[in-house]
Amino acid sequence: MPPDSPQAPRSPSTTPISAQRFPLLGLVSFLGLPVGAAAAHIATAANHGVTAGASTTGVSIGVLASAAVGLIATVGSRVRQERWPWLGIVGAVFSAAPLVLFLVGMMFKH
């Protein structure tokens, strides 16, 4: 049987090894906090004086944007099989921290 035929047995040494990539999206997952702050600032400015609950609208949008950027970058990092997977996970936790603090603050608000 020729070695390149579909029925030929393949040895484990001939399977290609995918090189792990530079953790670009893992580093981007840390940018959730500044992106969320910018989104909160823009939403607060756009909603100023429009509704009665405008005080928390910008913050709500900002913390959700922060968590979303961190999560999406971390998932992209895992899909790309980047080197140092812990970097994206730590970035997602760091980016989601404002959301956790916001939710805890809303639960204990009188």
Side-chain angles (χ1 to χ4, degrees), residues 54-83:
S55 62
T56 60
T57 303
V59 176
S60 303
I61 291 172
V63 296
L64 287 174
S66 175
V69 167
L71 177 68
I72 291 170
T74 300
V75 170
S77 153
R78 297 305 299 143
V79 168
R80 288 186 67 213
Q81 296 179 351
E82 292 180 350
R83 187 179 331 152

Side-chain angles (χ1 to χ4, degrees), residues 20-47:
Q20 290 187 342
R21 298 183 175 137
F22 181 75
L24 180 66
L25 289 175
L27 292 173
V28 168
S29 67
F30 282 94
L31 292 178
L33 204 55
V35 168
H41 179 70
I42 291 169
T44 302
N47 199 23

